[in-house]
Amino acid sequence: MTHDLLVRNAKLRRGEILDIAISDGKIIEMAADLRGGAAEEIDAQGNLVTETFVIGQQHLDKVYTGDWVDASAKTEYFEGDMGGAMTAIERAADVKDRYSEEDIFQRIDAALQCALFSGVSHMRAFIDIDSKAKLMGMRAALKARELWKGRVDLHVIAFPQDGILREPGTEEMLYQAMDLGADLVGGIPWIEFTDEDMRRHVDICFEIARKYDADVSMLVDDAGDPGLRTTEYLAIQADRHAWHGRVSACHARAMSQYNEVYHRKVLALLKRAGMGMVTNPHTAPLHIRVRDLAAAGVTIGLGGESLNDAYYPYGRCNMLEVAFVCSHTLWMMTPRDQEFLYDAITVNPARILRLDSYGLAPGNTADLVVLHDSSLRDALAHHHQPRQVIRNGRIVAETSFVQKARQG
């Protein structure tokens, strides 16, 4: 049999070294020493071959705006107790005065180039909808979604970064964004001024989601305030609306400061609603109790969060790099921890995004990466961009390293 592509000597995470046969964009067979040829062959040379990487949260319209932001905004977000998180968001909004649709598109395009070479196949892109950004970012992101389809697939989220109740006109623009073609409804209820408005924020988002039959992803409780309760309310509403498995919560940093009784209550609500969580321990001093939630069966993904903006000065859409940094911030360094971290940048966010036919198995879409390392430890430690990135059965990116030492 002649296949479109054969990946020879591929080391899987469970240790076997197999050949992977690919045709018509699908994985056809995985076995040792497969017979037959292919139009193109790759010798993985015993290096790891895994699923592609998935980003469950990325503020894609804000990329490369870090130099536009006043230094005080960054200081507020990085404080140890994150007491100034709301102030940081308010100050960071000033960058939108410089927005144009073409500028946003060019910055998104540059970020997706990084994502492509880093082996990212799918990304949830949060795009601001408010009185300053209006629909400029949405139009730019939808243009990029079409251009990059099949290489880096965007799941575009209409995101009211500066609130709904406190930003008159935003609710109407969210409906307009969905009419334009946004994939998901976003929210940030904790940014509102009162508890009543926080709950109304969530309710509005579900009204929109139900109208468009869309999934929901929200940034909740992103500050060091144990009194914040929007994670709980989001889970309650997901359950009430039977949106089970269709809602994800990002950040929820206040959970790190909940007392044990209340934390267990929220955890039970998350499980009941089938909610996934995306955490970013690399971008701020607080984060959810990852070990406790994972042990309870909550699906947890690591997010990209930001790429050189007001909330994170680094980033290059390299999820191996994110996992490496998070192994330190979470103190997760054992072999078992490394397996969890790798799941948190592949299969877990894929589950949160409800990706069909994802995974390294016959019959699934041939989306995979060939790494430069043969062990998971080395892959995380070195966090190189993949040697080859394969999307829908064809090679879309390659990266090589040349090292040369001189004597004398």
Side-chain angles (χ1 to χ4, degrees):
M1 174 179 270
T2 298
H3 298 284
D4 296 335
L5 177 65
L6 267 175
V7 182
R8 299 280 192 189
N9 302 307
K11 184 177 182 181
L12 307 190
R13 285 173 60 188
R14 56 183 185 262
E16 309 100 309
I17 294 182
L18 305 176
D19 297 340
I20 303 172
I22 296 168
S23 288
D24 298 322
K26 300 286 186 181
I27 298 172
I28 303 301
E29 190 176 1
M30 298 172 61
D33 301 318
L34 282 176
R35 294 184 177 183
E40 189 168 11
E41 290 196 12
I42 296 172
D43 185 358
Q45 299 177 323
N47 287 342
L48 279 173
V49 176
T50 79
E51 304 89 348
T52 47
F53 304 114
V54 178
I55 299 180
Q57 182 204 353
Q58 188 81 41
H59 290 287
L60 198 57
D61 59 324
K62 297 187 180 81
V63 296
Y64 306 119
T65 60
D67 294 339
W68 303 359
V69 181
D70 185 271
S72 62
K74 303 176 184 180
T75 302
E76 295 277 6
Y77 195 73
F78 299 145
E79 286 179 345
D81 62 359
M82 295 192 68
M86 182 181 290
T87 303
I89 291 172
E90 291 169 347
R91 292 180 180 174
D94 290 341
V95 302
K96 298 171 194 176
D97 292 335
R98 298 176 59 170
Y99 274 13
S100 70
E101 186 176 326
E102 181 57 26
D103 160 70
I104 298 169
F105 173 77
Q106 293 297 334
R107 289 187 287 102
I108 288 175
D109 192 62
L112 293 179
Q113 289 279 357
C114 289
L116 176 72
F117 283 99
S118 294
V120 174
S121 60
H122 296 80
M123 177 190 297
R124 274 193 174 170
F126 285 71
I127 306 297
D128 287 11
I129 307 295
D130 54 53
S131 60
K132 289 185 177 181
K134 299 188 185 300
L135 296 170
M136 287 185 288
M138 180 55 60
R139 292 192 178 94
L142 293 175
K143 178 181 175 182
R145 183 181 68 184
E146 293 308 306
L147 180 66
W148 282 87
K149 185 177 180 180
R151 293 180 295 163
V152 181
D153 290 339
L154 295 183
H155 300 224
V156 178
I157 301 173
F159 178 56
Q161 171 75 83
D162 298 328
I164 298 177
L165 284 303
R166 62 182 285 184
E167 273 278 301
T170 298
E171 181 178 353
E172 292 75 13
M173 282 190 285
L174 287 171
Y175 279 98
Q176 293 169 18
M178 298 305 294
D179 286 336
L180 284 174
D183 301 297
L184 290 90
V185 180
I188 181 170
W190 74 274
I191 205 73
E192 305 289 358
F193 289 130
T194 69
D195 290 342
E196 180 182 357
D197 285 353
M198 292 179 195
R199 291 190 291 270
R200 180 59 188 148
H201 183 119
V202 174
D203 292 341
I204 289 170
C205 291
F206 272 101
E207 289 168 8
I208 299 171
R210 287 171 64 85
K211 176 178 178 179
Y212 293 91
D213 191 26
D215 288 5
V216 174
S217 186
M218 292 196 190
L219 271 59
V220 293
D221 302 335
D222 190 21
D225 178 1
L228 289 172
R229 296 288 188 265
T230 64
T231 307
E232 172 190 19
Y233 191 71
L234 177 61
I236 290 170
Q237 293 305 98
D239 184 43
R240 285 178 178 170
H241 290 290
W243 239 239
H244 302 104
R246 301 188 62 181
V247 179
S248 64
C250 304
H251 293 318
R253 300 187 201 267
M255 287 185 71
S256 65
Q257 301 189 345
Y258 290 166
N259 66 62
E260 186 63 25
V261 174
Y262 182 62
H263 189 274
R264 292 190 183 196
K265 172 187 173 182
V266 173
L267 194 155
L269 289 169
L270 293 171
K271 291 175 63 179
R272 181 170 178 170
M275 277 175 53
M277 301 201 75
V278 179
T279 186
N280 300 281
H282 59 301
T283 63
L286 302 179
H287 52 77
I288 59 173
R289 290 159 52 173
V290 170
R291 290 186 187 275
D292 291 345
L293 270 69
V298 176
T299 301
I300 296 176
L302 295 175
E305 164 70 330
S306 301
L307 197 167
N308 186 14
D309 65 13
Y311 310 104
Y312 188 58
Y314 310 119
R316 51 189 181 131
C317 294
N318 184 330
M319 296 310 291
L320 282 171
E321 182 176 78
V322 169
F324 170 75
V325 176
C326 289
S327 73
H328 294 78
T329 56
L330 297 172
W331 284 102
M332 299 185 77
M333 299 186 185
T334 68
R336 182 177 179 180
D337 291 336
Q338 292 166 23
E339 294 288 348
F340 169 81
L341 291 170
Y342 206 90
D343 282 347
I345 57 176
T346 53
V347 295
N348 286 2
R351 187 176 301 119
I352 292 171
L353 269 64
R354 300 203 298 146
L355 299 182
D356 294 328
S357 192
Y358 173 91
L360 206 59
N364 283 345
T365 302
D367 290 344
L368 49 110
V369 290
V370 180
L371 302 184
H372 283 275
D373 295 290
S374 61
S375 73
L376 195 57
R377 190 211 73 87
D378 286 348
L380 292 171
H382 301 149
H383 42 273
H384 295 312
Q385 293 175 321
R387 207 182 82 182
Q388 280 98 11
V389 180
I390 298 167
R391 282 297 325 273
N392 298 301
R394 62 187 188 87
I395 301 169
V396 294
E398 295 184 275
T399 299
S400 62
F401 294 94
V402 177
Q403 292 181 305
K404 184 178 180 180
R406 294 188 178 187
Q407 297 182 353

